[in-house]
Amino acid sequence: MAPSANIISRRHAPRKMGGRRKNHRNHKKTFTSPKSPQSILAQARRNSFTSRRGHGGLFGAGSSNKINHLERKAGERTWKYSKFGLIPRSTEPFEKNCFDREPYPPGYVFVPKGDVYVTRNCRTTTKKSERIVYTVYDKTGKRTLGIRIPSDVYAAVLESAAATAETRANAIKLRDEKDLAHSRQILCTKFPLMPVESLEAILNHAFLKGSGRVGRTATITDERKADLAVEAHIRHTHTPYESMLHAGTGREEARKAVWSLIQAIKTAWEGGSAQPIDVLALRNRMVESN
């Protein structure tokens, strides 16, 4: 009787509060690893495709401006991670940029930099025929090597260059002579007392075509070019500047030391108050002190 009584008592006993219940708070959360830019881009494309299909815009009939904007942004991100991301995209019509290691388009040839007439006419003729001009970059993407253009265009431009070579050479010669005469006139006007040998030396040095010196720059006025060219000539020829450098004097220190002598000689060549005897005396004192 005792066991059955215990069973009955357990059956009718009140249930304890707080029994086993599912506690959702104790469940562990699942964490996903960070997504790469490529996976994010792929998901954005899938979402864009699904959205267009749901709105009936799969074939462009009902696509919205917002979706097109997202596609453009996705294309820009794709460009960032592509192998061509080292060189800029060309914004000119009928022009593209490429690396030198990329294969040539059919019928195209390479034209290296150097001949301005050939390069300019190859580019212009190719674009007029509504074909692409490829600007070729080196492997670093920082320096251009030349262009790729159709072979028939290159042959025609080379033929034209050969036919006009003599005419163009004469035109260049006349232009150079005109530029030299203009520079001579500026120097003679600004420095009427300059010795002839100094005038010729300055013209053949500072104003030499292709030298890249001060007389050939286009960023300053003609008068300023004349001043700088004359000062440089006086510094290296009529002062102890070179001997000071050879003796170990610093460049800036040597320039400051001869500056007053340079200005005195330049003023004398301009016809100013400084007299040649004063200039020579100043120069002799500097030479003796060094």
Side-chain angles (χ1 to χ4, degrees), residues 75-199:
E76 293 173 1
R77 288 193 295 269
T78 304
W79 177 261
K80 178 180 179 182
Y81 295 102
S82 69
K83 66 177 182 179
F84 303 112
L86 293 177
I87 55 176
R89 280 182 172 178
S90 177
T91 57
E92 298 294 327
F94 299 107
E95 287 192 23
K96 290 184 179 180
N97 298 334
C98 68
F99 285 109
D100 59 339
R101 64 175 178 265
E102 296 183 47
Y104 281 67
Y108 272 66
V109 295
F110 175 71
V111 180
K113 293 196 308 184
D115 193 318
V116 178
Y117 176 86
V118 172
T119 302
R120 181 176 63 247
N121 283 275
C122 283
R123 184 185 298 273
T124 303
T125 305
T126 301
K127 295 175 71 172
K128 283 183 178 179
S129 65
E130 297 186 352
R131 287 179 284 183
I132 301 297
V133 176
Y134 295 88
T135 301
V136 183
Y137 284 78
D138 65 354
K139 62 181 180 180
T140 66
K142 298 179 180 179
R143 185 170 64 92
T144 57
L145 305 176
I147 58 175
R148 292 176 182 176
I149 50 107
S151 57
D152 60 316
V153 172
Y154 188 42
V157 171
L158 288 181
E159 183 178 354
S160 174
T164 61
E166 184 176 357
T167 304
R168 289 185 292 112
N170 292 333
I172 293 174
K173 182 180 178 180
L174 291 175
R175 185 171 65 248
D176 292 345
E177 291 176 351
K178 183 179 179 181
D179 292 342
L180 188 61
H182 178 67
S183 301
R184 184 188 298 273
Q185 180 63 36
I186 292 175
L187 289 172
C188 291
T189 302
K190 191 170 181 60
F191 303 98
L193 300 183
M194 180 191 300
V196 177
E197 59 272 17
S198 295
L199 173 63

Side-chain angles (χ1 to χ4, degrees), residues 193 266-275:
L193 300 183
K266 192 173 81 166
T267 302
W269 288 359
E270 290 175 334
S273 58
Q275 298 298 322

Side-chain angles (χ1 to χ4, degrees), residues 185-245:
Q185 180 63 36
I186 292 175
L187 289 172
C188 291
T189 302
K190 191 170 181 60
F191 303 98
L193 300 183
M194 180 191 300
V196 177
E197 59 272 17
S198 295
L199 173 63
E200 296 300 327
I202 293 173
L203 287 173
N204 293 328
H205 182 77
F207 291 87
L208 181 65
K209 181 180 179 181
S211 64
R213 300 188 180 100
V214 64
R216 304 300 304 181
T217 183
T219 58
I220 57 179
T221 63
D222 291 339
E223 290 73 16
R224 183 57 178 162
K225 286 191 288 187
D227 277 335
L228 294 177
V230 168
E231 288 175 357
H233 171 75
I234 296 173
R235 179 185 301 111
H236 292 278
T237 309
H238 299 282
T239 71
Y241 175 75
E242 293 290 346
S243 61
M244 293 176 67
L245 294 181

